[in-house]
Structures are given as structure tokens and as C-alpha cells.
Amino acid sequence: MTATLPQAEDADDLEHARHRTTTVLWLGGLGAALVVVLLLAIGLGPVWVPPGTVARIVGHHLAGVPAVADWTPAQDSIVWLVRVPRVLLGAMVGAALAVAGAVLQTLVRNVLADPHILGVTSGASTGAAVSLLFGVTAASAGALAGSAFAGALAATALLFAIARINGQMTSLRLLLGGVTIGYLFSAATSFLIFASDNQEGARTVLFWLLGSLSSAGWSSVATTALVTAATVGSLLLLAARLDVLAAGEDTARALGLSPVRLRMLALGIVALAIGAVVAVAGAIGFVGLIVPHIARLCGGGTHRRLIPLAAVIGALFLVIADIAARVVFAPRELPLGIVTAVVGAPLLLVLIRRFRQPLH
């Protein structure tokens, strides 16, 4: 027995080392791919800008290199003022939605959970509809984002209230509460569209409901960067406890953790992140559902590996989807949610056939 235990520990250490190496390799490869895709995405559009020119323009604005511009003022404006904010916003929104989806699947113990299941997305949509249809112009991006975020906060508060009715918060209560809130706010949004005489506003609401990065600017990039960084960092600090929760509530209690408190803390972080990104990009589906499964296939279900992998893959996925949204019917732009659904639905069918690992 004494000889067997060290051998088992050595085997576990080797297994952990192998997983760490695999995760580092995946993160390195996906990170390099993300940089390449970002450069291509900035250059693609009705006006093509070569990647080399894109790199020089970005380097000039960030570090003053090169000092002398060999590109046109039009290219400078297109790249730095329009496309760089849009591409960066897409990457951060994709990362936040993917990480949120991964953690939600643990919190409700359902591999089909995604940010929409909380009802927070529907709440943000209702807030945006109020803004667009009743007195706030679509051009006021700050007011639109503020209204959408207020709707997300209202949905989050309602979710906490419903999930704790007549008992403690459990995964089933969260799931049923989120579905209830989602239907409630979706009905409210539909009623607002029906009751409004603002036809232009109604079209804008419908476009926003499918997601878009067209309103990206440096202010929204800065805000979303802070939200995404805070979300990923906070959830990484909770990674070990989320692993325990994924193993079951009885296991968590046996190890001294409170499943209710952990769920409330993690759910609060996730809900605020979802509200913030939906406020600036609209209701984009499938990212939080599909990407966590891909991340688990790459690095396993341990949250310390799952969260960073989901963030990078989510960023890559949404940037590529936005490229398709901009160029497939150029100069017209497809709503981003259509592209993610077209790509995500068949991908989900493939994953259903191949992905058989439990959450933990």
C-alpha cells in the first residue's frame, strides 16, 4: 500500500503536467491565430486595407512607429476610428459571452445552458427597446447601452428573487427562473414593438435583437475591456471552487463550501458581464452555448484551463463571424446573430455526437 500511493501521486502529477502543457499549447496556438485574424478583420471590408498597412497604422497610433505615414488619411480613419474599435469590441464580447456560458453550464449543471437562459439577455433587450422606441434616439449609443444595462440589472434582480422563493437557490431553481424571466421580458419587448408607432425604431430594435458591432467606438471598447478583464479575472479566482461545485452540491458541502453563496457570487459576476456586453453589442446567440464545449474538448473541464480557453476561442469565433457579417452581402451588413446561428447550429449537432464528457 505504501508503495502504491507514491506511484498514484506520481501518475496524477504527470497527468496534471500533461494537461497544463496541452492547455499552454492550445492557448499559444489560438492566441497566434487570433492576432492574425484580428489583422485580417481590420483590413477586410468595402475598402480593402492590406495587413501590412494595418499593422503600420496601428503601430503608428500606439507607439509612433513608423514616424512617417505612408498610407492615406482615408485608410487611417477607416482603420483606427472604425475597424479597430469594432474588431476589438467583437473579440471582447465573444470572450465574455463564452466565459459566461462556460460558468453558467456549471452553475445550473446543464450543458445546454447559455447566457440567454438566465433571462438577462431578454431583460437587456427590453431596456434597449424602451430606449429606441420611446424618446431616446438610436444615435445616442450611450443612452441605448445604459437602458439595456438597466434592463439586464432588473432581470438579474428578478432572477435572484425567483430562485430563492420558498427555499435555497439551486441549479433547478436558477434554470426555471431564468426561463421564466426570459419569456416574460421577451413578451414585454414584443408588446413594446407592437404598441409603438415608431416604425423606424421597431426595425432598429429587431436589428439590435440579432446583434451588431456597428456602433463600436473607443468608449465602448474601453468599458467592455474593463468588464471582460474583471469577469475573467474574478472567475479565475473562483475556478477551484467551481470545480468542486461541478462535482455536486454534496461534495461542495463536505469540503466546506456553500453552494448557495458560490452560486450567488458567480451568478452576479456573470449576469453583470452579460448585461454589459449585450448593452453594447445586442443579443448575440450561440457563442456562450457552443464555445465552452469546444474549450472542454481542447483542455478538459477544469475551470482554471476552461475559462482562458473559452475566452480566446470565443474572441476568435465572434471576430470571424463579424467578418462574415460584413463581407457576405457587402456593402449591406448582416445581423451578427444570424451568422452565429448559421455557424453554431450545425456545429452544435457535431458536438452533440462527439462531446460526451461530464461538466467536471
Side-chain angles (χ1 to χ4, degrees):
M1 178 66 71
T2 56
T4 304
L5 288 176
Q7 292 177 358
E9 291 176 357
D10 291 341
D12 288 341
D13 291 340
L14 289 174
E15 185 69 12
H16 288 307
R18 184 179 68 82
H19 282 301
R20 282 196 300 269
T21 302
T22 302
T23 302
V24 170
L25 290 175
W26 272 113
L27 284 174
L30 291 168
L34 179 60
V35 172
V36 173
V37 170
L38 288 174
L39 290 175
L40 290 175
I42 294 170
L44 287 171
V47 178
W48 161 250
V49 183
T53 304
V54 169
R56 292 197 300 276
I57 292 173
V58 173
H60 176 75
H61 282 277
L62 292 179
V65 179
V68 179
D70 60 354
W71 52 87
T72 66
Q75 288 177 322
D76 188 90
S77 297
I78 290 171
V79 168
W80 187 250
L81 297 180
V82 178
R83 293 186 186 167
V84 171
R86 177 175 184 140
V87 169
L88 291 179
L89 182 65
M92 290 180 290
V93 168
L97 289 175
V99 170
V103 173
L104 281 176
Q105 289 169 7
T106 297
L107 295 180
V108 302
R109 296 190 59 78
N110 190 321
V111 294
L112 294 180
D114 74 340
H116 285 72
I117 205 167
L118 281 182
V120 180
T121 299
S122 298
S125 300
T126 302
V130 172
S131 175
L132 292 169
L133 295 172
F134 300 100
V136 181
T137 64
S140 180
L144 174 61
S147 297
F149 189 64
L153 289 180
T156 303
L158 188 56
L159 175 62
F160 277 116
I162 291 175
R164 291 184 64 85
I165 291 177
N166 295 328
Q168 292 186 332
M169 181 183 295
T170 64
S171 58
L172 181 60
R173 288 178 181 273
L174 281 176
L175 184 61
L176 295 178
V179 171
T180 301
I181 292 169
Y183 279 119
L184 177 64
F185 278 101
S186 293
T189 303
S190 299
F191 175 77
L192 290 173
I193 294 173
F194 174 79
S196 172
D197 293 329
N198 186 350
Q199 295 183 357
E200 181 61 31
R203 284 193 292 269
T204 304
V205 170
L206 292 175
F207 186 85
W208 188 88
L209 287 174
L210 292 173
S212 174
L213 300 173
S214 58
S215 62
W218 282 111
S219 59
S220 58
V221 168
T223 303
T224 310
L226 290 175
V227 170
T228 304
T231 300
V232 173
S234 300
L235 293 175
L236 278 174
L237 292 176
L238 297 176
R241 281 176 276 182
L242 289 171
D243 289 338
V244 175
L245 183 62
E249 294 191 7
D250 291 339
T251 302
R253 292 192 186 94
L255 293 175
L257 291 179
S258 170
V260 174
R261 291 180 181 176
L262 180 57
R263 278 199 177 94
M264 290 185 65
L265 177 58
L267 183 62
I269 295 170
V270 167
L272 291 175
I274 294 171
V277 299
V278 170
V280 298
I284 301 172
F286 275 95
V287 179
L289 175 61
I290 297 295
V291 172
H293 294 293
I294 300 174
R296 288 190 185 94
L297 289 173
C298 294
T302 303
H303 286 82
R304 193 172 297 278
R305 298 191 294 268
L306 174 62
I307 289 172
L309 280 170
V312 177
I313 297 171
L316 189 60
F317 179 80
L318 200 60
V319 171
I320 293 173
D322 185 53
I323 292 174
R326 287 188 284 127
V327 304
V328 169
F329 289 104
R332 298 177 63 189
E333 179 180 323
L334 278 172
L336 194 52
I338 292 178
V339 180
T340 57
V342 168
V343 176
L347 189 56
L348 179 60
L349 293 177
V350 173
L351 290 172
I352 288 173
R353 292 174 60 90
R354 296 188 58 186
F355 188 74
R356 296 185 177 88
Q357 298 179 14
L359 275 177
H360 56 282

